[in-house]
Amino acid sequence: MAFISSILYNIPVLRNYFFNEEKNQLCASSEEDKECIAPLFQTVEETSQPISTSITGTVPEWITGSLFRNGPGRFEFGNDNFNHWFDGMALMHKFTIENGNVTYMSRFLRSDSYKANESENRIVVSEFGTVAMPDPCKSMFQRFVSMFEMPKPTDNGNVNFVKYKKDYYVSTETNIICKVDPATLETAEKVDWSKYIAVNGATAHPHYDPDGTVYNMGNSYGKQGTFYNIIKVPAQESEDEASLHGAEVICSIPASDKRNPSYYHSFGMTENYVVFIEQPIKLNVLKILTSNITGSPISSCFSWDARCDTIFHVANKHTGELHSVTFHTQAVAMFHQINAYEDEDCIVLDLCCQDDGGVLQLFHLQNLRKSGKALDEMYRSVAKSFPRRFVFPLTINSETPHGVNINPLSYTAATVEKRADGKLWCTPENLYDHTIENIGGLDFPAINYSQYNTRKYRYFYGCGFQHLVGSCLVKVDVVTKQYMVWQEDGFYPSEPVFVPGPHSCEEDDGVLLSAVVSPRQGAATFLLILDAKNFKEIGRAEVPVQMPYGFHGIFVPQNG
């Protein structure tokens, strides 16, 4: 895991007041306070047929394909309201770019959760931060019995678009992924991971090898304990085989604490290895199993334990063999990895890290819809995420000296030291100049994935967080630590997606695509096209409908 509909209006003489038409409330702030962003988390209508956009600047004609994005788009049914940003019903977006023009469409995912809620006109399926109320039509005995049922995983895939073999899916972090027609955004069948392999869910951030092989991570729980499983889905061999055909668990990593395993949102991958980060964001398994009895949402089963190390597990992704040692660092939280590669018998892993993992509890909608000083306090309470580099030497043995830095890579200040107790302790290098702190945190990282994933690289892109959502776009040079910023007052860009230029020879030869939204009435929502090299705007395609702030997406070239 992250995340805007412009239904507030901004009258110049009242520029510090924003009116929420849906809730019929005023959202006031002073000039020194954070801008009210409540409209970014309000229900919008879907746009089921492609509509034209208004182009400012130019759309390079070599860009041919579609940007797919995903995120919450409906936050209530009848009189019932969701409590957490992550609970909103999945709204899929599609920007189609062709011949210098852009069209836009969106559809709600017709998941079982969505259809059940709509049919009853109330929330009947529990989500991450919302517990569904018992069916009033059930007898008291039926409601009592239902308290002892296992909580059912949602199929509300509102986090990302992913590809397995030839098919596209939307996913969250449960065992259900939903197949989507990329041409129409219509919902097709849903697929249950557990029907193929023994896992309870998978991340929404798989990694891809150039040949189409896909890797992911999924938990499993049983009598033998709790495990983090590395999943491999082989490349497609025939046109008619199922998307998850041939999926297998290639390595099972036992949890350090089987009753309180770690939460994870992504993982690292190099050419030959998978790196799993076991972090101190903990899941209370017993609390999850009894959540129906206690009436607790799943979000309450997460906790941050700063006493724990963050542990890095390394496994060979070809053989499934787990490396004989683990690497440790202080308690840090991470949601998104930037890139990873191998160099001189080392793994270099770059992550967006923060020093506190309690951020998930801050994204309740009541917090995101605060204003003025209350919103300022919320922002200040959030641990900021910044890019850091870790190095893991793989040639560790009994002869490895203690108490000295054993990192052989001269171009990074990251250190690794074998302590007296045998623990390999890692101190990361900050991949940024301290002045970048002026733009807040930095997350939602992206690279030139098709050409530089698992390879030594120089540039990454992301969102700067001067607010609780992305407030600017940033390009970082990991060699010089210099950075560039695109920012426009009152606008909030989404995760950037890199599209390489035709016949590109340089790493940053291409464009960035980002959906940009605003809470201000009359301010247009638009698809931004940035030159990835100089970070100058090339063009924008304004969309005449409202869009909420979302999470992740992918660019699919035409015939891709």
Side-chain angles (χ1 to χ4, degrees), residues 490-505:
F491 287 88
Y492 298 85
S494 67
E495 170 195 60
V497 175
F498 184 92
V499 182
H503 315 297
S504 59
C505 297

Side-chain angles (χ1 to χ4, degrees), residues 493-529:
S494 67
E495 170 195 60
V497 175
F498 184 92
V499 182
H503 315 297
S504 59
C505 297
E506 297 182 311
E507 181 182 342
D508 57 352
D509 183 4
V511 299
L512 293 175
L513 303 178
S514 176
V516 183
V517 296
S518 176
R520 303 179 181 182
Q521 190 214 10
T525 295
F526 58 91
L527 176 67
L528 174 68
I529 304 173

Side-chain angles (χ1 to χ4, degrees), residues 46 48-49 90-92 105-109 184-186:
E46 66 180 7
S48 59
Q49 297 298 321
L91 180 63
M92 304 170 289
M105 66 180 298
S106 65
R107 279 184 183 271
F108 282 106
L109 177 69
T184 64
L185 295 183
E186 292 179 349

Side-chain angles (χ1 to χ4, degrees), residues 1 21 57 59 99 104 189 213 281 290 301 346 434 447 452 461 479 485 538 542 553:
M1 343 319 215
E21 294 178 336
V59 177
N99 298 323
Y104 169 80
E189 71 266 24
T213 302
I281 301 178
T290 59
C301 304
C346 295
H434 70 91
I447 62 169
Y452 284 86
Y461 315 88
V479 175
V485 176
I538 298 173
E542 295 186 357

Side-chain angles (χ1 to χ4, degrees), residues 358-535:
V359 66
L360 291 174
Q361 305 301 331
L362 297 175
F363 289 113
H364 285 84
L365 288 169
Q366 64 180 5
N367 293 330
L368 295 171
R369 292 169 178 168
K370 289 181 178 179
S371 61
K373 295 189 184 303
L375 186 59
D376 286 347
E377 291 173 3
M378 284 300 308
Y379 174 75
R380 286 195 295 270
S381 70
V382 176
K384 306 303 184 289
S385 176
F386 291 104
R388 298 175 186 172
R389 169 164 291 175
F390 295 86
V391 174
F392 311 128
L394 298 178
T395 53
I396 303 292
N397 53 48
S398 60
E399 303 301 317
T400 301
H402 292 77
V404 297
N405 179 21
I406 57 174
N407 169 25
L409 304 178
S410 60
Y411 58 81
T412 173
T415 65
V416 187
E417 177 183 319
K418 187 177 182 182
R419 293 184 167 179
D421 60 1
K423 184 180 291 187
L424 292 163
W425 191 260
C426 302
T427 302
E429 174 191 14
N430 291 332
L431 289 180
Y432 59 93
D433 181 280
H434 70 91
T435 59
I436 206 171
E437 296 173 3
N438 296 329
I439 64 169
L442 180 59
D443 213 314
F444 284 174
I447 62 169
N448 182 345
Y449 192 94
S450 62
Q451 298 176 7
Y452 284 86
N453 181 49
T454 76
R455 293 179 55 193
K456 192 174 183 179
Y457 74 113
R458 182 163 183 169
Y459 305 107
F460 78 90
Y461 315 88
C463 286
F465 284 78
Q466 293 170 318
H467 219 306
L468 294 175
V469 295
S471 53
C472 63
L473 295 173
V474 185
K475 174 184 180 179
V476 177
D477 182 329
V478 300
V479 175
T480 66
K481 301 185 180 178
Q482 295 179 339
Y483 61 95
M484 299 179 182
V485 176
W486 178 92
Q487 188 169 25
E488 195 164 316
D489 182 50
F491 287 88
Y492 298 85
S494 67
E495 170 195 60
V497 175
F498 184 92
V499 182
H503 315 297
S504 59
C505 297
E506 297 182 311
E507 181 182 342
D508 57 352
D509 183 4
V511 299
L512 293 175
L513 303 178
S514 176
V516 183
V517 296
S518 176
R520 303 179 181 182
Q521 190 214 10
T525 295
F526 58 91
L527 176 67
L528 174 68
I529 304 173
L530 280 184
D531 186 316
K533 187 176 292 292
N534 60 28
F535 235 52

Side-chain angles (χ1 to χ4, degrees), residues 42-333:
Q42 303 287 2
T43 297
V44 300
E45 298 293 327
E46 66 180 7
T47 304
S48 59
Q49 297 298 321
I51 58 174
S52 298
T53 63
S54 176
I55 306 297
T56 301
T58 60
V59 177
E61 294 200 0
W62 60 262
I63 307 177
T64 303
S66 297
L67 174 68
F68 293 92
R69 286 195 48 73
N70 196 2
R74 182 167 178 176
F75 298 94
E76 68 282 315
F77 286 89
N79 294 321
D80 291 355
N81 296 277
F82 289 117
N83 297 324
H84 200 282
W85 184 15
F86 301 172
D87 299 343
M89 295 290 98
L91 180 63
M92 304 170 289
H93 310 264
K94 179 183 179 182
F95 294 89
T96 302
I97 308 172
E98 188 174 13
N99 298 323
N101 295 308
V102 180
T103 61
Y104 169 80
M105 66 180 298
S106 65
R107 279 184 183 271
F108 282 106
L109 177 69
R110 263 53 179 195
S111 60
D112 288 349
S113 298
Y114 180 96
K115 290 186 290 187
N117 293 337
E118 178 133 85
S119 174
E120 297 289 333
N121 196 32
R122 64 185 185 90
I123 295 173
V124 299
V125 179
S126 296
E127 298 288 343
F128 177 73
T130 304
V131 177
M133 298 303 292
D135 185 350
C137 296
K138 285 185 176 181
S139 67
M140 184 176 296
F141 176 74
Q142 288 174 316
R143 279 182 277 176
F144 175 77
V145 170
S146 68
M147 292 170 57
F148 299 91
E149 296 174 349
M150 284 286 292
K152 296 179 181 179
T154 181
D155 61 345
N156 177 33
N158 64 2
V159 178
N160 204 1
F161 269 88
V162 296
K163 184 179 183 181
Y164 292 101
K165 302 187 190 296
K166 67 181 185 300
D167 295 322
Y168 291 90
Y169 295 83
V170 290
S171 63
T172 179
E173 296 178 326
T174 67
N175 58 304
I176 304 296
I177 56 176
C178 294
K179 185 177 175 180
V180 173
D181 184 337
T184 64
L185 295 183
E186 292 179 349
T187 306
E189 71 266 24
K190 68 177 185 178
V191 175
D192 187 339
W193 276 103
S194 65
K195 303 297 183 184
Y196 293 84
I197 51 178
V199 295
N200 301 98
T203 82
H205 289 287
H207 275 299
Y208 305 89
D209 271 347
D211 68 353
T213 302
V214 187
Y215 294 86
N216 210 330
M217 298 287 309
N219 281 3
S220 63
Y221 309 97
K223 294 181 180 179
Q224 304 302 316
T226 300
F227 294 88
Y228 313 109
N229 301 295
I230 300 174
I231 305 164
K232 178 181 178 180
V233 181
Q236 186 168 342
E237 295 181 355
S238 64
E239 278 296 317
D240 58 350
E241 70 182 20
S243 292
L244 298 187
H245 175 76
E248 59 177 328
V249 171
I250 61 172
C251 181
S252 292
I253 304 167
S256 300
D257 183 347
K258 63 182 181 181
R259 291 186 178 85
N260 298 282
S262 291
Y263 167 75
Y264 54 92
H265 187 68
S266 67
F267 61 99
M269 188 182 81
T270 70
E271 183 180 359
N272 297 296
Y273 299 95
V274 164
V275 182
F276 171 69
I277 303 100
E278 191 173 17
Q279 62 184 343
I281 301 178
K282 299 293 188 176
L283 286 165
N284 188 317
V285 175
L286 179 61
K287 198 170 181 179
I288 292 174
L289 295 176
T290 59
S291 59
N292 276 355
I293 299 174
T294 62
S296 303
I298 297 299
S299 61
S300 69
C301 304
F302 287 67
S303 63
W304 169 249
D305 190 347
R307 300 168 298 175
C308 298
D309 293 353
T310 296
I311 306 173
F312 301 91
H313 303 265
V314 177
N316 187 302
K317 72 183 192 184
H318 306 300
T319 67
E321 182 181 1
L322 194 61
H323 199 278
S324 59
V325 300
T326 56
F327 299 87
H328 296 245
T329 193
Q330 67 181 24
V332 294

